[in-house]
């Protein structure tokens, strides 16, 4: 079995194109975090912590978050500016998260995103395959493509989804009909806060990975216990996505600050009071995934 391991390979000069990041997978087991961004501060804090920890990172941007920030061009300009002004040297993949249409994928590619997730999970299986291929045809060699099969549950960007599990057969069939770089199977993880203990189908994950050799993506990483996350990485997860826990870490500190500093109205002080809370969460996931020091 080939373990997709994301080590050594992240030295910037080695990354001839982004696909190499996934293709040059070696024998150690670790995964790259995807941290979702919501605004300038989020992007800045995440880039700073990844640089400090020498971890490569996918900066996840949902289409709702991109709209909130002004649009795809704003996001690309902002992230490029931050990378330059903050002297970020670790590989940063600006990734469109859960795009539900070809047009959204096209706009993000045109703006300069490095990596695209087309999420056709709400359409029929055949339509999912068709649009995934259409998006693929639009990408250049330097962009990565992620697709989802089954349905990851929970709520993302205010849109609720019922969980629907991916099977090994479906994964094999989908991969025989598409050409993608990462697959997000729905194996029990959900976006947002878990109701009860997360129950991840680690055995199916392992089977899919062993039979297809495809880098797998874990959505809904927040709230999954450390041991399960580690097991998932061992079983084929190469990218794990986190959003909610970063928000919770930030929110806890901001609440405390506001409660103790009611007279402070400077937005820079209010927003940045959550900086350490957010950074601590990101740092912890970098450690758990084993991506610390890999860039
Ligand atoms: P959480 O918000 O549950 O961490 O999930 C994030 C995610 O999967 C983004 O695609």
């Amino acid at each position: 079995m080939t373990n997709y391991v994301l080590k050594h390979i992240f030295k910037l000069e080695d990354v001839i194109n982004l696909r190499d990041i996934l293709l040059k997978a070696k024998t150690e087991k670790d995964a790259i975090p995807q941290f979702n961004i919501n605004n300038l501060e989020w992007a800045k804090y995440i880039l700073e912590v990844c640089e400090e920890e020498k971890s490569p990172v996918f900066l996840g941007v949902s289409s709702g978050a991109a709209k909130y920030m002004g649009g795809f061009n704003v996001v690309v300009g902002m992230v490029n500016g931050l990378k330059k002004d903050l002297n970020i040297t670790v590989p940063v993949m600006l990734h469109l998260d859960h795009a539900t249409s070809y047009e959204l994928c096209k706009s993000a590619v045109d703006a300069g995103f490095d990596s695209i997730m087309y999420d056709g999970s709400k359409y029929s299986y055949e339509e999912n395959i068709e649009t995934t291929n259409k998006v693929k045809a639009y990408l250049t060699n330097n962009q990565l493509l992620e697709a989802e099969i089954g349905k990851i549950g929970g709520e993302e960007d205010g849109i609720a989804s019922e969980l629907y599990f991916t099977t090994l057969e479906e994964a094999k069939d989908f991969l025989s009909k598409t050409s993608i770089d990462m697959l997000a199977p729905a194996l029990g993880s959900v976006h947002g806060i878990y109701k009860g203990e997360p129950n991840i189908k680690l055995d199916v994950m392992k089977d899919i990975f062993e039979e297809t050799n495809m880098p797998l993506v874990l959505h809904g990483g927040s709230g999954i216990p450390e041991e399960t996350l580690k097991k998932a990485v061992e079983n084929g997860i190469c990218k794990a996505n986190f959003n909610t826990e970063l928000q919770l870490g930030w929110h806890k500190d901001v609440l405390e600050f506001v409660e103790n500093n009611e007279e402070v109205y400077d937005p820079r002080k209010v927003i940045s009071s959550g900086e350490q809370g957010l950074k601590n969460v990101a740092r912890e996931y970098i450690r758990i995934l084993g991506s610390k020091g890999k860039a």
Side-chain angles (χ1 to χ4, degrees):
M1 172 184 128
T2 306
N3 290 312
Y4 281 88
V5 179
L6 310 162
K7 196 182 166 176
H8 317 301
I9 56 175
F10 291 110
K11 297 243 186 314
L12 210 50
E13 61 270 24
D14 293 344
V15 182
I16 301 142
N17 71 43
L18 291 172
R19 195 162 289 103
D20 286 356
I21 288 172
L22 295 162
L23 294 180
K24 278 190 182 179
K26 301 279 191 288
T27 50
E28 285 182 39
K29 294 171 181 169
D30 51 277
I32 310 181
Q34 173 181 311
F35 295 130
N36 280 46
I37 61 170
N38 292 287
N39 56 20
L40 167 74
E41 286 81 0
W42 238 252
K44 180 170 179 274
Y45 303 156
I46 290 166
L47 288 175
E48 282 173 345
V49 87
C50 290
E51 184 66 25
E52 248 171 71
E53 299 295 319
K54 292 282 166 262
S55 169
V57 64
F58 280 82
L59 285 186
V61 183
S62 67
S63 29
K67 198 168 162 199
Y68 172 81
M69 289 184 263
F72 293 128
N73 292 297
V74 175
V75 177
V76 171
M78 176 182 82
V79 170
N80 283 340
L82 285 168
K83 276 163 46 179
K84 197 168 172 196
D85 287 347
L86 300 175
N87 296 315
I88 301 298
T89 61
V90 297
V92 176
M93 278 65 71
L94 184 55
H95 175 85
L96 178 63
D97 198 25
H98 290 286
T100 51
S101 73
Y102 169 75
E103 288 70 28
L104 280 169
C105 297
K106 187 172 175 295
S107 301
V109 170
D110 291 348
F113 273 59
D114 305 305
S115 179
I116 300 289
M117 175 193 191
Y118 170 65
D119 173 1
S121 63
K122 70 173 181 176
Y123 301 107
S124 74
Y125 182 66
E126 289 71 27
E127 283 171 305
N128 190 355
I129 291 173
E130 194 186 321
T131 312
T132 299
N133 285 332
K134 199 170 156 196
V135 173
K136 173 71 187 178
Y138 193 71
L139 300 185
T140 70
N141 272 340
N142 285 329
Q143 287 134 353
L144 296 170
L145 179 60
E146 174 183 341
E148 173 176 334
I149 48 173
K151 278 190 187 147
I152 293 159
E155 198 172 288
E156 181 81 351
D157 255 352
I159 300 164
S161 171
E162 282 297 312
L163 176 64
Y164 174 82
F165 289 104
T166 305
T167 62
L168 172 62
E169 288 321 307
E170 196 177 45
K172 279 174 30 183
D173 185 71
F174 187 86
L175 293 172
S176 72
K177 293 172 179 161
T178 55
S179 173
I180 61 172
D181 304 292
M182 303 174 268
L183 178 70
L187 296 173
S189 60
V190 302
H191 294 119
I193 294 170
Y194 284 84
K195 295 181 186 116
E197 272 296 294
N199 185 8
I200 315 293
K201 288 185 179 292
L202 292 163
D203 48 343
V204 183
M205 184 183 282
K206 189 166 192 270
D207 290 347
I208 294 177
F209 180 63
E210 287 190 347
E211 293 234 2
T212 66
N213 246 356
M214 171 59 57
L216 302 180
V217 179
L218 180 71
H219 282 253
S222 299
I224 299 181
E226 174 166 348
E227 280 322 301
T228 312
L229 280 176
K230 284 187 167 154
K231 200 91 196 119
V233 172
E234 254 173 51
N235 287 10
I237 293 298
C238 295
K239 170 162 88 70
N241 298 1
F242 305 95
N243 186 13
T244 305
E245 286 284 1
L246 297 173
Q247 300 188 354
L248 293 172
W250 174 83
H251 180 242
K252 187 172 158 288
D253 284 5
V254 172
L255 262 190
E256 195 182 312
F257 178 83
V258 172
E259 273 164 16
N260 293 317
N261 299 276
E262 276 187 22
E263 72 296 348
V264 177
Y265 55 85
D266 179 342
R268 287 179 287 182
K269 292 191 174 135
V270 177
I271 296 173
S272 67
S273 65
E275 175 176 347
Q276 288 314 320
L278 187 152
K279 283 184 168 174
N280 289 342
V281 173
R283 205 172 275 119
E284 182 63 1
Y285 283 128
I286 287 170
R287 181 190 66 76
I288 293 173
L289 298 185
S291 66
K292 184 178 166 70
K294 301 293 167 72

